[in-house]
Amino acid sequence: MASIKDVAQRAGVSVATVSRVLNASPSVTERTRARVQAVMDELGYRPNAVARSLRTDATNTIGLIIGDILNPFFTELARAVDDEARAAGYSVLIGNADERPEQQDHYVGTLLEQRVDGLLLCPTAEITPLVEDAVRGSRPLVFLDRTLAGLDVPSVRADGSAAIRDLVRHLRALGHRRIAFISGPALLSTGRERTAAFVSALTECGLPVRPEYVEAGDFQAASGRSITARLLDLPEPPEVIFTGDNLMALGALDEIRARGLRVPADVALASYDDVPWFTHLDPPMTAISQPVQELGRLAVRALVDRIGDRPVRSVVLPARLVVRRSCGETGETGESERSGPE
Amino acid sequence: MASIKDVAQRAGVSVATVSRVLNASPSVTERTRARVQAVMDELGYRPNAVARSLRTDATNTIGLIIGDILNPFFTELARAVDDEARAAGYSVLIGNADERPEQQDHYVGTLLEQRVDGLLLCPTAEITPLVEDAVRGSRPLVFLDRTLAGLDVPSVRADGSAAIRDLVRHLRALGHRRIAFISGPALLSTGRERTAAFVSALTECGLPVRPEYVEAGDFQAASGRSITARLLDLPEPPEVIFTGDNLMALGALDEIRARGLRVPADVALASYDDVPWFTHLDPPMTAISQPVQELGRLAVRALVDRIGDRPVRSVVLPARLVVRRSCGETGETGESERSGPE
DNA sequence: AGGCCTTGTGTAATCGATTACACTCCCGAA
DNA sequence: TTCGGGAGTGTAATCGATTACACAAGGCCT
C-alpha cells in the first residue's frame, strides 16, 4: 500500500508537506496542495492510522464492551453508542463479553493494547484485575448500564425502582397478589438493584415477600425457562412472573407455552427491558422500558469529556413502565400503550 | 503508560530482550525471562499493539461490516464471526452500515485506515469506489450474505431458492393461491435472488405471477408495514404475505394487527430469516431459516485463508423451510417444527 | 592452546506518520 | 542597499515495537 513517502516522492515534495496537506495545515500553497491531492487520488492513498496513532498517541477510537450481543437491549445500546461516537469523531470497537468475566477481560485487554482512547464497559461481574489495571493505567473508563462498587469510575445507567413500584401497584390493582421475580445475578448491580426494588415494592403495597418467589437467573433465556418451570411446579404457583430482562422473559414464555398455559389467564407475565417484538406477542408484553438511546448518548458524552480531561459526573436516568396486556386487562382500551399509574 | 523501554531499563536488559520475552523467543535464559516478566507484572505493562502493528504490518484484526445492527439476522452473524475469529486469533471490528451505502463506505474507509488484516463485507448496495479501492489495494476481502457482481471477490452466502419453492408448495397444499412477496431492494443480491426464486416457484406450481403482488421494500420494518397496507387495500388482496426478511415481517404484522385481522384466518404470513422470537408469536411464524452459524464460520475461514494467501472458493449453503402455523394448519400435530415437504 | 560453534544478549535500522526547528525566498520599510 | 520578517518548505527526531546483525563468553574439538 502506498505510504506518505511514495506520495511525497511522486509529488516532488517532502513528507512534511504531504503531512500538512493531510492535516489541512494553512501553511501550504493552494498550488502545492492541489498537486499533492492529485497524487493521493491517483495512488488511492489512505493514511496509515496505525502510524499516526503511534505518533500522536490518539486512536480516535473508543471501546465498548457489552454483556451479550444476542440481547437486543445491548444491541440497541451499541447502536446508540455508535451513532453518538461517530458524531463526535470516534470509531467504536465492540467487544462481546457474552456475560463471561474471562471473555470480558479478554476484550478489556485487547482494547487496551489497541490503545483505544477510552473504554465503555458494561461490567459482567465483580472487579477483575484487568479492570483495575485499566483504572490504574488511567485510561478513561465509564461504566454503562451496570456499575461496580469500590471504584472511582463514573457510570451511566437507568434506575428502575420507581417503574418496578408502578408495576407492582399495577398488578395489585388487577387483583394479583402472588408475584414472582426472576432476578439477574447478584454479582451484577442491575441484578441486585432490581431485586431490592421488587422486594421493597411488595412491602410497600402490603404484599408478603415469599423467598420461593424470588430466584436469580443469569440473564439468559435458558435460566428463565428453568426457573419458570420450578415456579409453576410450586404447590402454590405465582399468579404473575416478572423477569429481570427480556431474554429470561422469552425463556419463561417458552415454558408457559410448552405447558399449554395461557397468558394472562393462567399466569401473567411482565419483563424488565422493552424490545420491539414485545408488541407483537400475544398478548403484547407489559414491560419496563429503559431510555436506551439516552444511555448510549450520555455515556459517550461522559467518556469524551473524560478523554478531554473535563470533569464528569455519574448519571442515573429513570426507567418507565409500559402497560400492555400480558398481566390482564385494565378497564381501558386495550391497545394503546401508556405509562404506569402516576 | 509503561513502554518496552521502561521495562528494559528496570530489568537491566535491552529492549530486544524484552521483545524476545514478549514473543516467547526460545533464545532467552529462563532466569532473564523470569526477571523481565516480573518487571512487566510490576509495571502492569501491556505491549502497544499500535507500535507492533506498524512494524509487523499485521494487526491481527479483521473488519466486519454488517447491513443493520438492529436486525437479529446480522446480530447472530456477528456473533458467529466473532467466535470463529477469536478462535483463529483475530479480533473483530464491527461496523454498522445501517443499510446506507455512504455509511458502509465510511466504515470501509476507517477499517482500511486502521489496517485490518482482512475485511468481511455484507455489501449494502452497488459497487462503490471505496470497495473498488479495497479490492485494488489487495486487502483480503470476502463478501458475506450478499455479493456484488463484476468483482473478483469470494463470497459466502445462503441460497434460498429451494426453500422458497418448498414454501410455495406448502402454501399451495394449504389451498392458498394468491401469494404476495415483499422483496428486498433490487440493488442487493439477496433482494434480487429471492424475488427471482419466488417468481419461478410460482410458475413451477402453476400459479399466476401478478405484478401487483410483488414489491420491493428496504429490509426495514417500516417498509414492510406500508407495503402490507397497500397489499391489503387491493381490490383482491393476497391470501398470504411472504416477506423478504424478518424486520419487514414485523412491519407486516404491525399493519395486520392494526387492522384487527387474524393470522392466518384473514391473511397468512411467512418470512425469510428465522429469528428466536418467531416461535413466540401467535401463531408461531413459518419461516425460511439460514445457516447463520455456518455462514459466519465459513466466512472467517475463507478470509483467514485469503490473508494467508491460500486459495479460496465461494461458498453457497442451502436455506431451509421451517413450517409453523402462521400460514394455516397442516394435518399434522401443530407444535412440532419440521423442515419443508420433501 | 588455538580455532570454531553455540548460546545469550545488545546495537541500531525500520515501519509511517507528526512536528519542532531551520532554512530559503521574497517583499517592504528604512 | 540593507535588514527584518513572514510565508512556504525541508530536515530530522520521535513514537514503541521487531529483527537482522554483531559480539562476547564459554564449551568442545584437535
Side-chain angles (χ1 to χ4, degrees):
Chain A
M1 228 170 180
S3 81
I4 196 171
K5 268 189 209 150
D6 304 319
V7 176
Q9 194 165 23
R10 187 133 180 174
V13 298
S14 73
V15 292
T17 299
V18 178
S19 176
R20 290 192 185 97
V21 171
L22 278 178
N23 296 284
S25 153
S27 62
V28 177
T29 337
E30 170 55 24
R31 226 177 92 69
T32 310
R33 206 201 57 70
R35 185 151 37 96
V36 170
Q37 187 62 56
V39 173
M40 285 179 175
D41 293 345
E42 184 189 345
L43 296 181
Y45 168 76
R46 324 217 96 237
N48 185 329
V50 172
R52 169 179 292 162
S53 297
L54 178 60
R55 186 61 237 258
T56 61
D57 198 33
T59 53
N60 294 314
T61 277
I62 66 175
L64 167 66
I65 299 175
I66 57 177
D68 176 9
I69 202 181
L70 294 184
N71 185 331
F73 168 75
F74 287 116
T75 276
E76 274 187 62
L77 197 57
R79 168 66 191 272
V81 166
D82 189 57
D83 286 350
E84 184 74 13
R86 232 152 43 76
Y90 288 89
S91 294
V92 178
L93 271 48
I94 302 178
N96 171 33
D98 203 26
E99 301 292 10
R100 303 204 303 263
E102 76 278 7
Q103 191 157 331
Q104 163 191 293
D105 271 20
H106 164 85
Y107 276 109
V108 172
T110 310
L111 293 173
L112 285 180
E113 288 187 358
Q114 310 264 3
R115 297 297 193 266
V116 290
D117 294 340
L119 202 52
L120 246 29
L121 175 62
C122 310
T124 280
E126 290 172 310
I127 300 172
T128 63
L130 259 179
V131 170
E132 279 201 283
D133 274 10
V135 179
R136 263 207 311 161
S138 69
R139 276 277 161 219
L141 181 63
V142 170
F143 289 143
L144 181 51
D145 176 50
R146 307 165 175 171
T147 26
L148 287 180
L151 288 180
D152 183 24
V153 171
S155 61
V156 175
R157 62 204 179 80
D159 177 22
S161 304
I164 290 177
R165 193 180 348 99
D166 288 345
L167 173 65
V168 172
R169 284 198 195 133
H170 165 68
L171 296 172
R172 189 85 176 78
L174 289 169
H176 298 303
R177 311 203 80 228
R178 300 199 308 277
I179 308 171
F181 181 49
I182 303 182
S183 160
L187 283 177
L188 301 183
S189 62
T190 45
R192 281 194 306 278
E193 282 173 13
R194 290 169 199 178
T195 308
F198 174 71
V199 168
S200 78
L202 283 187
T203 316
E204 202 173 301
C205 290
L207 294 173
V209 177
R210 302 167 59 153
E212 72 271 28
Y213 279 3
V214 179
E215 182 171 344
D218 62 4
F219 276 157
Q220 309 256 14
S223 72
R225 174 154 194 177
S226 60
I227 296 175
T228 300
R230 188 188 62 72
L231 289 171
L232 295 177
D233 283 337
L234 245 33
E236 195 172 38
E239 298 157 318
V240 186
I241 294 177
F242 171 39
T243 62
D245 87 334
N246 72 87
L247 293 181
M248 297 195 298
L250 220 135
L253 204 53
D254 274 339
E255 183 64 23
I256 291 170
R257 282 266 160 78
R259 291 180 182 225
L261 300 175
R262 287 158 310 157
V263 177
D266 298 316
V267 56
L269 196 56
S271 173
Y272 208 97
D273 287 345
D274 195 15
V275 292
W277 47 271
F278 272 180
T279 327
H280 310 283
L281 290 175
D282 180 54
M285 180 90 77
T286 289
I288 289 176
S289 166
Q290 301 194 59
V292 187
Q293 304 292 325
E294 272 305 287
L295 288 175
R297 231 192 301 277
L298 292 176
V300 171
R301 295 222 190 116
L303 188 62
V304 170
D305 280 347
R306 286 220 67 180
I307 292 172
D309 260 334
R310 288 176 290 279
V312 166
R313 278 192 306 178
S314 292
V315 179
V316 179
L317 301 176
R320 69 176 229 283
L321 175 66
V322 177
V323 173
R324 298 202 185 89
R325 301 207 313 277
S326 63
C327 296
E329 297 284 347
T330 62
E332 312 177 28
T333 51
E335 276 299 332
S336 74
E337 295 187 3
R338 56 182 197 84
S339 289
E342 19 281 283
Chain B
M1 227 170 180
S3 84
I4 197 171
K5 267 189 211 151
D6 304 319
V7 176
Q9 194 166 24
R10 187 131 179 176
V13 297
S14 73
V15 290
T17 299
V18 178
S19 176
R20 290 193 185 96
V21 171
L22 278 179
N23 296 283
S25 154
S27 64
V28 177
T29 339
E30 170 55 24
R31 227 178 90 69
T32 310
R33 205 201 56 71
R35 185 151 37 97
V36 171
Q37 188 60 57
V39 173
M40 285 179 174
D41 293 345
E42 184 189 347
L43 296 182
Y45 168 75
R46 324 217 95 237
N48 185 330
V50 172
R52 169 179 293 161
S53 297
L54 178 60
R55 186 60 235 261
T56 62
D57 197 33
T59 53
N60 294 314
T61 277
I62 66 177
L64 166 66
I65 299 176
I66 57 178
D68 176 8
I69 202 180
L70 295 185
N71 184 331
F73 168 75
F74 286 116
T75 277
E76 274 186 61
L77 197 57
R79 168 65 191 273
V81 165
D82 189 58
D83 286 350
E84 184 73 14
R86 233 152 42 78
Y90 288 89
S91 294
V92 177
L93 272 46
I94 302 177
N96 170 34
D98 203 24
E99 301 293 9
R100 303 204 304 263
E102 76 278 6
Q103 191 158 332
Q104 162 191 294
D105 271 20
H106 165 85
Y107 275 109
V108 172
T110 310
L111 292 172
L112 286 179
E113 288 185 359
Q114 310 265 1
R115 297 297 192 266
V116 290
D117 294 339
L119 202 52
L120 247 30
L121 175 62
C122 309
T124 280
E126 291 172 312
I127 300 171
T128 64
L130 260 180
V131 170
E132 280 201 282
D133 274 10
V135 180
R136 265 206 311 161
S138 72
R139 276 279 161 217
L141 181 63
V142 170
F143 289 144
L144 180 50
D145 175 51
R146 306 165 175 173
T147 27
L148 287 180
L151 288 181
D152 183 25
V153 172
S155 61
V156 175
R157 62 203 179 83
D159 177 22
S161 305
I164 289 177
R165 195 180 347 101
D166 288 346
L167 172 65
V168 172
R169 283 198 196 135
H170 164 67
L171 296 173
R172 189 84 175 78
L174 289 170
H176 299 303
R177 310 203 80 228
R178 300 201 307 278
I179 308 171
F181 181 49
I182 302 182
S183 160
L187 282 178
L188 301 184
S189 62
T190 45
R192 282 194 307 276
E193 281 174 14
R194 290 170 199 176
T195 308
F198 174 71
V199 168
S200 78
L202 283 188
T203 316
E204 203 174 301
C205 289
L207 294 173
V209 178
R210 304 167 58 151
E212 72 271 28
Y213 279 3
V214 180
E215 182 171 345
D218 62 3
F219 276 157
Q220 310 256 15
S223 72
R225 175 154 194 177
S226 60
I227 295 174
T228 299
R230 189 188 61 74
L231 290 169
L232 295 177
D233 284 337
L234 246 32
E236 194 173 37
E239 296 156 321
V240 186
I241 293 177
F242 171 39
T243 61
D245 88 333
N246 74 86
L247 293 182
M248 296 194 298
L250 220 132
L253 203 53
D254 274 338
E255 183 64 22
I256 292 170
R257 284 265 161 79
R259 291 179 182 227
L261 300 176
R262 288 158 311 156
V263 177
D266 298 316
V267 55
L269 197 55
S271 174
Y272 208 97
D273 288 346
D274 194 17
V275 292
W277 47 270
F278 272 0
T279 328
H280 310 285
L281 289 176
D282 180 54
M285 179 90 77
T286 289
I288 289 175
S289 165
Q290 301 194 61
V292 187
Q293 304 291 324
E294 273 305 287
L295 288 176
R297 233 191 300 278
L298 292 176
V300 171
R301 295 220 190 116
L303 189 62
V304 170
D305 281 346
R306 286 219 67 179
I307 293 172
D309 260 333
R310 288 176 291 278
V312 166
R313 280 191 305 178
S314 292
V315 179
V316 179
L317 300 176
R320 70 177 230 283
L321 174 66
V322 177
V323 173
R324 297 202 184 90
R325 300 206 314 274
S326 62
C327 296
E329 298 284 347
T330 62
E332 311 178 26
T333 52
E335 276 299 332
S336 75
E337 294 186 5
R338 57 184 195 81
S339 289
E342 9 285 289

